[in-house]
PDB file of all heavy atoms in Angstrom:
ATOM      1  N   GLY B 192     -30.504 -81.683-215.980  1.00 98.00           N
ATOM      2  CA  GLY B 192     -31.501 -81.585-216.979  1.00 98.00           C
ATOM      3  C   GLY B 192     -32.332 -80.352-216.841  1.00 98.00           C
ATOM      4  O   GLY B 192     -31.950 -79.405-216.053  1.00 98.00           O
ATOM      5  N   GLY B 193     -33.447 -80.277-217.438  1.00 98.00           N
ATOM      6  CA  GLY B 193     -34.394 -79.207-217.417  1.00 98.00           C
ATOM      7  C   GLY B 193     -35.859 -79.673-217.561  1.00 98.00           C
ATOM      8  O   GLY B 193     -36.151 -80.945-217.660  1.00 98.00           O
ATOM      9  N   ALA B 194     -36.820 -78.773-217.422  1.00 98.00           N
ATOM     10  CA  ALA B 194     -38.190 -79.148-217.344  1.00 98.00           C
ATOM     11  C   ALA B 194     -38.879 -78.920-218.743  1.00 98.00           C
ATOM     12  O   ALA B 194     -38.679 -77.956-219.380  1.00 98.00           O
ATOM     13  CB  ALA B 194     -38.896 -78.279-216.365  1.00 98.00           C
ATOM     14  N   PHE B 195     -39.741 -79.804-219.109  1.00 98.00           N
ATOM     15  CA  PHE B 195     -40.558 -79.768-220.318  1.00 98.00           C
ATOM     16  C   PHE B 195     -41.968 -79.495-219.925  1.00 98.00           C
ATOM     17  O   PHE B 195     -42.804 -80.419-219.728  1.00 98.00           O
ATOM     18  CB  PHE B 195     -40.397 -81.087-221.103  1.00 98.00           C
ATOM     19  CG  PHE B 195     -40.315 -80.932-222.625  1.00 98.00           C
ATOM     20  CD1 PHE B 195     -39.332 -81.706-223.333  1.00 98.00           C
ATOM     21  CD2 PHE B 195     -41.277 -80.226-223.286  1.00 98.00           C
ATOM     22  CE1 PHE B 195     -39.361 -81.650-224.662  1.00 98.00           C
ATOM     23  CE2 PHE B 195     -41.213 -80.138-224.619  1.00 98.00           C
ATOM     24  CZ  PHE B 195     -40.256 -80.837-225.329  1.00 98.00           C
ATOM     25  N   THR B 196     -42.281 -78.236-219.749  1.00 98.00           N
ATOM     26  CA  THR B 196     -43.595 -77.809-219.348  1.00 98.00           C
ATOM     27  C   THR B 196     -44.506 -77.533-220.545  1.00 98.00           C
ATOM     28  O   THR B 196     -44.136 -77.591-221.706  1.00 98.00           O
ATOM     29  CB  THR B 196     -43.488 -76.525-218.501  1.00 98.00           C
ATOM     30  OG1 THR B 196     -42.928 -75.497-219.333  1.00 98.00           O
ATOM     31  CG2 THR B 196     -42.536 -76.727-217.324  1.00 98.00           C
ATOM     32  N   GLY B 197     -45.736 -77.246-220.203  1.00 98.00           N
ATOM     33  CA  GLY B 197     -46.702 -76.849-221.285  1.00 98.00           C
ATOM     34  C   GLY B 197     -46.277 -75.545-222.024  1.00 98.00           C
ATOM     35  O   GLY B 197     -46.405 -75.464-223.256  1.00 98.00           O
ATOM     36  N   SER B 198     -45.600 -74.642-221.292  1.00 98.00           N
ATOM     37  CA  SER B 198     -45.101 -73.472-221.932  1.00 98.00           C
ATOM     38  C   SER B 198     -43.962 -73.742-222.827  1.00 98.00           C
ATOM     39  O   SER B 198     -43.846 -73.153-223.993  1.00 98.00           O
ATOM     40  CB  SER B 198     -44.654 -72.420-220.831  1.00 98.00           C
ATOM     41  OG  SER B 198     -45.736 -72.110-220.043  1.00 98.00           O
ATOM     42  N   VAL B 199     -43.104 -74.663-222.489  1.00 98.00           N
ATOM     43  CA  VAL B 199     -42.016 -75.083-223.320  1.00 98.00           C
ATOM     44  C   VAL B 199     -42.544 -75.724-224.643  1.00 98.00           C
ATOM     45  O   VAL B 199     -42.132 -75.379-225.778  1.00 98.00           O
ATOM     46  CB  VAL B 199     -41.016 -76.043-222.615  1.00 98.00           C
ATOM     47  CG1 VAL B 199     -40.004 -76.696-223.586  1.00 98.00           C
ATOM     48  CG2 VAL B 199     -40.339 -75.413-221.544  1.00 98.00           C
ATOM     49  N   SER B 200     -43.499 -76.595-224.488  1.00 98.00           N
ATOM     50  CA  SER B 200     -44.192 -77.207-225.650  1.00 98.00           C
ATOM     51  C   SER B 200     -44.797 -76.243-226.613  1.00 98.00           C
ATOM     52  O   SER B 200     -44.582 -76.266-227.755  1.00 98.00           O
ATOM     53  CB  SER B 200     -45.158 -78.257-225.136  1.00 98.00           C
ATOM     54  OG  SER B 200     -45.730 -78.962-226.260  1.00 98.00           O
ATOM     55  N   TYR B 201     -45.444 -75.264-226.028  1.00 98.00           N
ATOM     56  CA  TYR B 201     -46.078 -74.150-226.827  1.00 98.00           C
ATOM     57  C   TYR B 201     -45.101 -73.379-227.558  1.00 98.00           C
ATOM     58  O   TYR B 201     -45.203 -73.064-228.730  1.00 98.00           O
ATOM     59  CB  TYR B 201     -46.925 -73.292-225.830  1.00 98.00           C
ATOM     60  CG  TYR B 201     -47.427 -72.046-226.590  1.00 98.00           C
ATOM     61  CD1 TYR B 201     -48.668 -72.078-227.319  1.00 98.00           C
ATOM     62  CD2 TYR B 201     -46.783 -70.861-226.544  1.00 98.00           C
ATOM     63  CE1 TYR B 201     -49.114 -71.014-227.967  1.00 98.00           C
ATOM     64  CE2 TYR B 201     -47.280 -69.669-227.132  1.00 98.00           C
ATOM     65  CZ  TYR B 201     -48.415 -69.804-227.951  1.00 98.00           C
ATOM     66  OH  TYR B 201     -48.937 -68.727-228.529  1.00 98.00           O
ATOM     67  N   ASN B 202     -44.030 -72.941-226.879  1.00 98.00           N
ATOM     68  CA  ASN B 202     -42.968 -72.158-227.454  1.00 98.00           C
ATOM     69  C   ASN B 202     -42.188 -72.966-228.594  1.00 98.00           C
ATOM     70  O   ASN B 202     -41.839 -72.269-229.618  1.00 98.00           O
ATOM     71  CB  ASN B 202     -41.958 -71.683-226.439  1.00 98.00           C
ATOM     72  CG  ASN B 202     -42.453 -70.562-225.646  1.00 98.00           C
ATOM     73  OD1 ASN B 202     -43.059 -69.535-226.193  1.00 98.00           O
ATOM     74  ND2 ASN B 202     -42.316 -70.573-224.328  1.00 98.00           N
ATOM     75  N   LEU B 203     -42.010 -74.198-228.454  1.00 98.00           N
ATOM     76  CA  LEU B 203     -41.397 -74.981-229.504  1.00 98.00           C
ATOM     77  C   LEU B 203     -42.243 -74.916-230.784  1.00 98.00           C
ATOM     78  O   LEU B 203     -41.786 -74.896-231.912  1.00 98.00           O
ATOM     79  CB  LEU B 203     -41.177 -76.369-229.132  1.00 98.00           C
ATOM     80  CG  LEU B 203     -39.953 -76.674-228.149  1.00 98.00           C
ATOM     81  CD1 LEU B 203     -40.085 -78.005-227.431  1.00 98.00           C
ATOM     82  CD2 LEU B 203     -38.647 -76.526-228.886  1.00 98.00           C
ATOM     83  N   ASP B 204     -43.547 -75.020-230.555  1.00 98.00           N
ATOM     84  CA  ASP B 204     -44.387 -74.970-231.763  1.00 98.00           C
ATOM     85  C   ASP B 204     -44.443 -73.657-232.471  1.00 98.00           C
ATOM     86  O   ASP B 204     -44.993 -73.528-233.608  1.00 98.00           O
ATOM     87  CB  ASP B 204     -45.913 -75.256-231.327  1.00 98.00           C
ATOM     88  CG  ASP B 204     -46.118 -76.702-230.970  1.00 98.00           C
ATOM     89  OD1 ASP B 204     -45.334 -77.572-231.463  1.00 98.00           O
ATOM     90  OD2 ASP B 204     -47.028 -76.957-230.199  1.00 98.00           O
ATOM     91  N   GLN B 205     -43.867 -72.605-231.938  1.00 98.00           N
ATOM     92  CA  GLN B 205     -43.834 -71.271-232.538  1.00 98.00           C
ATOM     93  C   GLN B 205     -42.608 -71.109-233.462  1.00 98.00           C
ATOM     94  O   GLN B 205     -42.582 -70.114-234.181  1.00 98.00           O
ATOM     95  CB  GLN B 205     -43.715 -70.160-231.510  1.00 98.00           C
ATOM     96  CG  GLN B 205     -44.794 -70.249-230.410  1.00 98.00           C
ATOM     97  CD  GLN B 205     -46.257 -70.458-230.999  1.00 98.00           C
ATOM     98  OE1 GLN B 205     -46.680 -69.527-231.788  1.00 98.00           O
ATOM     99  NE2 GLN B 205     -46.899 -71.442-230.597  1.00 98.00           N
ATOM    100  N   VAL B 206     -41.698 -72.018-233.445  1.00 98.00           N
ATOM    101  CA  VAL B 206     -40.524 -71.907-234.296  1.00 98.00           C
ATOM    102  C   VAL B 206     -40.449 -73.133-235.245  1.00 98.00           C
ATOM    103  O   VAL B 206     -41.131 -74.149-235.087  1.00 98.00           O
ATOM    104  CB  VAL B 206     -39.265 -71.851-233.481  1.00 98.00           C
ATOM    105  CG1 VAL B 206     -39.168 -70.603-232.620  1.00 98.00           C
ATOM    106  CG2 VAL B 206     -38.980 -73.020-232.600  1.00 98.00           C
ATOM    107  N   SER B 207     -39.546 -73.041-236.283  1.00 98.00           N
ATOM    108  CA  SER B 207     -39.470 -74.036-237.328  1.00 98.00           C
ATOM    109  C   SER B 207     -39.009 -75.420-236.656  1.00 98.00           C
ATOM    110  O   SER B 207     -38.332 -75.469-235.657  1.00 98.00           O
ATOM    111  CB  SER B 207     -38.533 -73.624-238.380  1.00 98.00           C
ATOM    112  OG  SER B 207     -37.200 -73.413-237.878  1.00 98.00           O
ATOM    113  N   GLU B 208     -39.385 -76.435-237.327  1.00 98.00           N
ATOM    114  CA  GLU B 208     -38.919 -77.784-236.926  1.00 98.00           C
ATOM    115  C   GLU B 208     -37.462 -77.941-236.952  1.00 98.00           C
ATOM    116  O   GLU B 208     -36.851 -78.536-236.036  1.00 98.00           O
ATOM    117  CB  GLU B 208     -39.552 -78.853-237.847  1.00 98.00           C
ATOM    118  CG  GLU B 208     -41.037 -79.087-237.605  1.00 98.00           C
ATOM    119  CD  GLU B 208     -41.558 -80.213-238.366  1.00 98.00           C
ATOM    120  OE1 GLU B 208     -40.839 -80.925-239.116  1.00 98.00           O
ATOM    121  OE2 GLU B 208     -42.817 -80.416-238.336  1.00 98.00           O
ATOM    122  N   GLU B 209     -36.744 -77.242-237.993  1.00 98.00           N
ATOM    123  CA  GLU B 209     -35.304 -77.295-237.995  1.00 98.00           C
ATOM    124  C   GLU B 209     -34.692 -76.680-236.782  1.00 98.00           C
ATOM    125  O   GLU B 209     -33.726 -77.253-236.206  1.00 98.00           O
ATOM    126  CB  GLU B 209     -34.810 -76.544-239.274  1.00 98.00           C
ATOM    127  CG  GLU B 209     -35.192 -77.211-240.619  1.00 98.00           C
ATOM    128  CD  GLU B 209     -36.502 -76.642-241.077  1.00 98.00           C
ATOM    129  OE1 GLU B 209     -37.323 -76.101-240.369  1.00 98.00           O
ATOM    130  OE2 GLU B 209     -36.697 -76.754-242.369  1.00 98.00           O
ATOM    131  N   LEU B 210     -35.255 -75.583-236.305  1.00 98.00           N
ATOM    132  CA  LEU B 210     -34.719 -74.909-235.102  1.00 98.00           C
ATOM    133  C   LEU B 210     -35.000 -75.793-233.876  1.00 98.00           C
ATOM    134  O   LEU B 210     -34.221 -75.873-232.977  1.00 98.00           O
ATOM    135  CB  LEU B 210     -35.287 -73.574-234.938  1.00 98.00           C
ATOM    136  CG  LEU B 210     -34.776 -72.747-233.785  1.00 98.00           C
ATOM    137  CD1 LEU B 210     -33.216 -72.644-233.722  1.00 98.00           C
ATOM    138  CD2 LEU B 210     -35.383 -71.259-233.697  1.00 98.00           C
ATOM    139  N   GLN B 211     -36.220 -76.361-233.845  1.00 98.00           N
ATOM    140  CA  GLN B 211     -36.546 -77.204-232.715  1.00 98.00           C
ATOM    141  C   GLN B 211     -35.479 -78.340-232.601  1.00 98.00           C
ATOM    142  O   GLN B 211     -35.015 -78.536-231.410  1.00 98.00           O
ATOM    143  CB  GLN B 211     -37.869 -77.885-232.960  1.00 98.00           C
ATOM    144  CG  GLN B 211     -39.114 -76.947-232.833  1.00 98.00           C
ATOM    145  CD  GLN B 211     -40.391 -77.706-233.117  1.00 98.00           C
ATOM    146  OE1 GLN B 211     -40.609 -78.797-232.647  1.00 98.00           O
ATOM    147  NE2 GLN B 211     -41.337 -77.026-233.897  1.00 98.00           N
ATOM    148  N   ASP B 212     -35.187 -78.934-233.679  1.00 98.00           N
ATOM    149  CA  ASP B 212     -34.189 -80.091-233.627  1.00 98.00           C
ATOM    150  C   ASP B 212     -32.815 -79.587-233.121  1.00 98.00           C
ATOM    151  O   ASP B 212     -32.185 -80.294-232.349  1.00 98.00           O
ATOM    152  CB  ASP B 212     -34.035 -80.694-235.018  1.00 98.00           C
ATOM    153  CG  ASP B 212     -35.221 -81.534-235.323  1.00 98.00           C
ATOM    154  OD1 ASP B 212     -36.062 -81.776-234.479  1.00 98.00           O
ATOM    155  OD2 ASP B 212     -35.322 -82.053-236.561  1.00 98.00           O
ATOM    156  N   LEU B 213     -32.454 -78.408-233.626  1.00 98.00           N
ATOM    157  CA  LEU B 213     -31.118 -77.871-233.153  1.00 98.00           C
ATOM    158  C   LEU B 213     -31.127 -77.590-231.659  1.00 98.00           C
ATOM    159  O   LEU B 213     -30.137 -77.818-230.935  1.00 98.00           O
ATOM    160  CB  LEU B 213     -30.816 -76.599-233.891  1.00 98.00           C
ATOM    161  CG  LEU B 213     -30.427 -76.801-235.410  1.00 98.00           C
ATOM    162  CD1 LEU B 213     -30.282 -75.436-236.039  1.00 98.00           C
ATOM    163  CD2 LEU B 213     -29.119 -77.581-235.538  1.00 98.00           C
ATOM    164  N   LEU B 214     -32.330 -77.163-231.158  1.00 98.00           N
ATOM    165  CA  LEU B 214     -32.393 -76.947-229.675  1.00 98.00           C
ATOM    166  C   LEU B 214     -32.399 -78.198-228.880  1.00 98.00           C
ATOM    167  O   LEU B 214     -31.783 -78.305-227.839  1.00 98.00           O
ATOM    168  CB  LEU B 214     -33.653 -76.069-229.397  1.00 98.00           C
ATOM    169  CG  LEU B 214     -33.592 -74.638-229.974  1.00 98.00           C
ATOM    170  CD1 LEU B 214     -34.892 -73.952-229.735  1.00 98.00           C
ATOM    171  CD2 LEU B 214     -32.382 -73.848-229.425  1.00 98.00           C
ATOM    172  N   TYR B 215     -33.041 -79.256-229.395  1.00 98.00           N
ATOM    173  CA  TYR B 215     -32.992 -80.538-228.754  1.00 98.00           C
ATOM    174  C   TYR B 215     -31.560 -81.012-228.666  1.00 98.00           C
ATOM    175  O   TYR B 215     -31.164 -81.544-227.634  1.00 98.00           O
ATOM    176  CB  TYR B 215     -33.862 -81.551-229.549  1.00 98.00           C
ATOM    177  CG  TYR B 215     -35.301 -81.306-229.518  1.00 98.00           C
ATOM    178  CD1 TYR B 215     -36.149 -81.694-230.726  1.00 98.00           C
ATOM    179  CD2 TYR B 215     -36.024 -80.780-228.447  1.00 98.00           C
ATOM    180  CE1 TYR B 215     -37.479 -81.545-230.658  1.00 98.00           C
ATOM    181  CE2 TYR B 215     -37.392 -80.586-228.456  1.00 98.00           C
ATOM    182  CZ  TYR B 215     -38.141 -80.954-229.589  1.00 98.00           C
ATOM    183  OH  TYR B 215     -39.493 -80.807-229.591  1.00 98.00           O
ATOM    184  N   LYS B 216     -30.812 -80.912-229.786  1.00 98.00           N
ATOM    185  CA  LYS B 216     -29.477 -81.378-229.838  1.00 98.00           C
ATOM    186  C   LYS B 216     -28.563 -80.510-228.861  1.00 98.00           C
ATOM    187  O   LYS B 216     -27.701 -81.021-228.264  1.00 98.00           O
ATOM    188  CB  LYS B 216     -28.976 -81.356-231.293  1.00 98.00           C
ATOM    189  CG  LYS B 216     -29.558 -82.341-232.164  1.00 98.00           C
ATOM    190  CD  LYS B 216     -29.348 -82.121-233.645  1.00 98.00           C
ATOM    191  CE  LYS B 216     -27.948 -82.274-234.034  1.00 98.00           C
ATOM    192  NZ  LYS B 216     -27.759 -82.151-235.496  1.00 98.00           N
ATOM    193  N   SER B 217     -28.895 -79.243-228.840  1.00 98.00           N
ATOM    194  CA  SER B 217     -28.105 -78.332-228.011  1.00 98.00           C
ATOM    195  C   SER B 217     -28.173 -78.771-226.528  1.00 98.00           C
ATOM    196  O   SER B 217     -27.196 -78.668-225.769  1.00 98.00           O
ATOM    197  CB  SER B 217     -28.577 -76.889-228.128  1.00 98.00           C
ATOM    198  OG  SER B 217     -28.303 -76.383-229.334  1.00 98.00           O
ATOM    199  N   TYR B 218     -29.329 -79.242-226.120  1.00 98.00           N
ATOM    200  CA  TYR B 218     -29.499 -79.626-224.732  1.00 98.00           C
ATOM    201  C   TYR B 218     -29.097 -81.095-224.484  1.00 98.00           C
ATOM    202  O   TYR B 218     -28.388 -81.427-223.453  1.00 98.00           O
ATOM    203  CB  TYR B 218     -30.959 -79.499-224.304  1.00 98.00           C
ATOM    204  CG  TYR B 218     -31.235 -78.098-223.690  1.00 98.00           C
ATOM    205  CD1 TYR B 218     -32.266 -77.326-224.199  1.00 98.00           C
ATOM    206  CD2 TYR B 218     -30.623 -77.685-222.555  1.00 98.00           C
ATOM    207  CE1 TYR B 218     -32.608 -76.113-223.617  1.00 98.00           C
ATOM    208  CE2 TYR B 218     -30.959 -76.459-221.964  1.00 98.00           C
ATOM    209  CZ  TYR B 218     -31.891 -75.658-222.542  1.00 98.00           C
ATOM    210  OH  TYR B 218     -32.242 -74.531-221.978  1.00 98.00           O
ATOM    211  N   TYR B 219     -29.475 -82.044-225.365  1.00 98.00           N
ATOM    212  CA  TYR B 219     -29.427 -83.418-224.962  1.00 98.00           C
ATOM    213  C   TYR B 219     -28.386 -84.274-225.677  1.00 98.00           C
ATOM    214  O   TYR B 219     -28.220 -85.463-225.385  1.00 98.00           O
ATOM    215  CB  TYR B 219     -30.803 -84.103-225.087  1.00 98.00           C
ATOM    216  CG  TYR B 219     -31.728 -83.691-223.929  1.00 98.00           C
ATOM    217  CD1 TYR B 219     -32.576 -82.495-224.048  1.00 98.00           C
ATOM    218  CD2 TYR B 219     -31.705 -84.331-222.764  1.00 98.00           C
ATOM    219  CE1 TYR B 219     -33.333 -82.120-223.006  1.00 98.00           C
ATOM    220  CE2 TYR B 219     -32.472 -83.982-221.721  1.00 98.00           C
ATOM    221  CZ  TYR B 219     -33.285 -82.874-221.801  1.00 98.00           C
ATOM    222  OH  TYR B 219     -34.062 -82.454-220.688  1.00 98.00           O
ATOM    223  N   SER B 220     -27.637 -83.755-226.646  1.00 98.00           N
ATOM    224  CA  SER B 220     -26.637 -84.444-227.357  1.00 98.00           C
ATOM    225  C   SER B 220     -25.320 -84.191-226.713  1.00 98.00           C
ATOM    226  O   SER B 220     -25.066 -83.258-225.953  1.00 98.00           O
ATOM    227  CB  SER B 220     -26.602 -84.140-228.852  1.00 98.00           C
ATOM    228  OG  SER B 220     -25.850 -82.863-229.013  1.00 98.00           O
ATOM    229  N   GLN B 221     -24.355 -85.122-226.969  1.00 97.00           N
ATOM    230  CA  GLN B 221     -22.971 -84.879-226.532  1.00 97.00           C
ATOM    231  C   GLN B 221     -22.260 -83.778-227.332  1.00 97.00           C
ATOM    232  O   GLN B 221     -21.252 -83.243-226.832  1.00 97.00           O
ATOM    233  CB  GLN B 221     -22.176 -86.220-226.767  1.00 97.00           C
ATOM    234  CG  GLN B 221     -22.448 -87.274-225.625  1.00 97.00           C
ATOM    235  CD  GLN B 221     -22.251 -86.714-224.234  1.00 97.00           C
ATOM    236  OE1 GLN B 221     -23.157 -86.361-223.509  1.00 97.00           O
ATOM    237  NE2 GLN B 221     -21.002 -86.619-223.828  1.00 97.00           N
ATOM    238  N   ASN B 222     -22.788 -83.316-228.381  1.00 97.00           N
ATOM    239  CA  ASN B 222     -22.306 -82.170-229.092  1.00 97.00           C
ATOM    240  C   ASN B 222     -22.846 -80.861-228.427  1.00 97.00           C
ATOM    241  O   ASN B 222     -22.380 -79.774-228.715  1.00 97.00           O
ATOM    242  CB  ASN B 222     -22.673 -82.117-230.553  1.00 97.00           C
ATOM    243  CG  ASN B 222     -22.091 -83.359-231.295  1.00 97.00           C
ATOM    244  OD1 ASN B 222     -22.814 -84.277-231.524  1.00 97.00           O
ATOM    245  ND2 ASN B 222     -20.829 -83.284-231.598  1.00 97.00           N
ATOM    246  N   GLY B 223     -23.901 -81.018-227.643  1.00 98.00           N
ATOM    247  CA  GLY B 223     -24.523 -79.971-226.800  1.00 98.00           C
ATOM    248  C   GLY B 223     -24.046 -79.995-225.487  1.00 98.00           C
ATOM    249  O   GLY B 223     -22.793 -80.160-225.160  1.00 98.00           O
ATOM    250  N   ILE B 224     -25.038 -79.926-224.475  1.00 98.00           N
ATOM    251  CA  ILE B 224     -24.514 -79.854-223.079  1.00 98.00           C
ATOM    252  C   ILE B 224     -24.936 -81.188-222.318  1.00 98.00           C
ATOM    253  O   ILE B 224     -24.776 -81.252-221.097  1.00 98.00           O
ATOM    254  CB  ILE B 224     -25.008 -78.633-222.343  1.00 98.00           C
ATOM    255  CG1 ILE B 224     -26.547 -78.547-222.266  1.00 98.00           C
ATOM    256  CG2 ILE B 224     -24.444 -77.391-222.948  1.00 98.00           C
ATOM    257  CD1 ILE B 224     -27.097 -77.413-221.344  1.00 98.00           C
ATOM    258  N   GLY B 225     -25.293 -82.176-223.077  1.00 98.00           N
ATOM    259  CA  GLY B 225     -25.360 -83.520-222.494  1.00 98.00           C
ATOM    260  C   GLY B 225     -26.332 -83.799-221.431  1.00 98.00           C
ATOM    261  O   GLY B 225     -26.124 -84.665-220.528  1.00 98.00           O
ATOM    262  N   TYR B 226     -27.482 -83.054-221.380  1.00 98.00           N
ATOM    263  CA  TYR B 226     -28.550 -83.270-220.422  1.00 98.00           C
ATOM    264  C   TYR B 226     -28.966 -84.837-220.369  1.00 98.00           C
ATOM    265  O   TYR B 226     -29.054 -85.419-221.483  1.00 98.00           O
ATOM    266  CB  TYR B 226     -29.775 -82.446-220.691  1.00 98.00           C
ATOM    267  CG  TYR B 226     -29.780 -81.133-220.028  1.00 98.00           C
ATOM    268  CD1 TYR B 226     -28.693 -80.617-219.337  1.00 98.00           C
ATOM    269  CD2 TYR B 226     -30.990 -80.302-220.111  1.00 98.00           C
ATOM    270  CE1 TYR B 226     -28.809 -79.307-218.754  1.00 98.00           C
ATOM    271  CE2 TYR B 226     -31.045 -79.091-219.515  1.00 98.00           C
ATOM    272  CZ  TYR B 226     -29.978 -78.567-218.809  1.00 98.00           C
ATOM    273  OH  TYR B 226     -30.044 -77.340-218.239  1.00 98.00           O
ATOM    274  N   ASN B 227     -29.364 -85.316-219.218  1.00 98.00           N
ATOM    275  CA  ASN B 227     -29.885 -86.679-219.250  1.00 98.00           C
ATOM    276  C   ASN B 227     -31.119 -86.761-218.271  1.00 98.00           C
ATOM    277  O   ASN B 227     -31.614 -87.870-218.035  1.00 98.00           O
ATOM    278  CB  ASN B 227     -28.865 -87.648-218.730  1.00 98.00           C
ATOM    279  CG  ASN B 227     -28.551 -87.553-217.214  1.00 98.00           C
ATOM    280  OD1 ASN B 227     -28.479 -86.383-216.753  1.00 98.00           O
ATOM    281  ND2 ASN B 227     -28.179 -88.648-216.599  1.00 98.00           N
ATOM    282  N   PHE B 228     -31.679 -85.570-217.916  1.00 98.00           N
ATOM    283  CA  PHE B 228     -32.927 -85.544-217.094  1.00 98.00           C
ATOM    284  C   PHE B 228     -33.902 -84.621-217.755  1.00 98.00           C
ATOM    285  O   PHE B 228     -33.544 -83.603-218.344  1.00 98.00           O
ATOM    286  CB  PHE B 228     -32.689 -84.954-215.735  1.00 98.00           C
ATOM    287  CG  PHE B 228     -32.445 -86.083-214.654  1.00 98.00           C
ATOM    288  CD1 PHE B 228     -31.195 -86.389-214.215  1.00 98.00           C
ATOM    289  CD2 PHE B 228     -33.504 -86.769-214.064  1.00 98.00           C
ATOM    290  CE1 PHE B 228     -30.975 -87.382-213.337  1.00 98.00           C
ATOM    291  CE2 PHE B 228     -33.315 -87.670-213.073  1.00 98.00           C
ATOM    292  CZ  PHE B 228     -32.056 -88.041-212.668  1.00 98.00           C
ATOM    293  N   ILE B 229     -35.258 -84.954-217.625  1.00 98.00           N
ATOM    294  CA  ILE B 229     -36.372 -84.205-217.965  1.00 98.00           C
ATOM    295  C   ILE B 229     -37.378 -84.189-216.802  1.00 98.00           C
ATOM    296  O   ILE B 229     -37.613 -85.295-216.270  1.00 98.00           O
ATOM    297  CB  ILE B 229     -37.075 -84.636-219.226  1.00 98.00           C
ATOM    298  CG1 ILE B 229     -36.220 -84.546-220.446  1.00 98.00           C
ATOM    299  CG2 ILE B 229     -38.328 -83.767-219.491  1.00 98.00           C
ATOM    300  CD1 ILE B 229     -36.864 -85.052-221.733  1.00 98.00           C
ATOM    301  N   ARG B 230     -37.795 -83.053-216.383  1.00 98.00           N
ATOM    302  CA  ARG B 230     -38.905 -82.950-215.377  1.00 98.00           C
ATOM    303  C   ARG B 230     -40.111 -82.579-216.099  1.00 98.00           C
ATOM    304  O   ARG B 230     -40.257 -81.583-216.895  1.00 98.00           O
ATOM    305  CB  ARG B 230     -38.522 -81.907-214.301  1.00 98.00           C
ATOM    306  CG  ARG B 230     -39.524 -81.871-213.179  1.00 98.00           C
ATOM    307  CD  ARG B 230     -39.128 -80.975-212.089  1.00 98.00           C
ATOM    308  NE  ARG B 230     -40.016 -80.849-210.963  1.00 98.00           N
ATOM    309  CZ  ARG B 230     -40.405 -79.668-210.448  1.00 98.00           C
ATOM    310  NH1 ARG B 230     -40.067 -78.535-211.015  1.00 98.00           N
ATOM    311  NH2 ARG B 230     -41.173 -79.632-209.409  1.00 98.00           N
ATOM    312  N   ILE B 231     -41.284 -83.323-215.883  1.00 98.00           N
ATOM    313  CA  ILE B 231     -42.516 -83.008-216.472  1.00 98.00           C
ATOM    314  C   ILE B 231     -43.664 -82.906-215.454  1.00 98.00           C
ATOM    315  O   ILE B 231     -43.542 -83.554-214.390  1.00 98.00           O
ATOM    316  CB  ILE B 231     -42.968 -84.073-217.558  1.00 98.00           C
ATOM    317  CG1 ILE B 231     -43.053 -85.440-216.901  1.00 98.00           C
ATOM    318  CG2 ILE B 231     -41.901 -84.181-218.706  1.00 98.00           C
ATOM    319  CD1 ILE B 231     -43.711 -86.546-217.845  1.00 98.00           C
ATOM    320  N   PRO B 232     -44.664 -82.114-215.676  1.00 98.00           N
ATOM    321  CA  PRO B 232     -45.791 -82.027-214.785  1.00 98.00           C
ATOM    322  C   PRO B 232     -46.765 -83.220-214.985  1.00 98.00           C
ATOM    323  O   PRO B 232     -46.891 -83.712-216.062  1.00 98.00           O
ATOM    324  CB  PRO B 232     -46.417 -80.657-215.139  1.00 98.00           C
ATOM    325  CG  PRO B 232     -46.077 -80.495-216.575  1.00 98.00           C
ATOM    326  CD  PRO B 232     -44.763 -81.182-216.816  1.00 98.00           C
ATOM    327  N   ILE B 233     -47.430 -83.563-213.865  1.00 98.00           N
ATOM    328  CA  ILE B 233     -48.547 -84.483-213.953  1.00 98.00           C
ATOM    329  C   ILE B 233     -49.783 -83.620-213.982  1.00 98.00           C
ATOM    330  O   ILE B 233     -50.180 -83.010-212.919  1.00 98.00           O
ATOM    331  CB  ILE B 233     -48.550 -85.482-212.794  1.00 98.00           C
ATOM    332  CG1 ILE B 233     -47.323 -86.233-212.711  1.00 98.00           C
ATOM    333  CG2 ILE B 233     -49.812 -86.417-212.904  1.00 98.00           C
ATOM    334  CD1 ILE B 233     -47.170 -87.168-211.508  1.00 98.00           C
TER     335      ILE B 233
END
């Protein structure tokens, strides 16, 4: 998997929702690279 930091959240807000969705699918779907972990800060 990968990390969902404050910087990641901020950068996602800078692009269109359609592109956000494609990036989510690229990482976490079986059509993408199949991630199953997220690391988040407390």
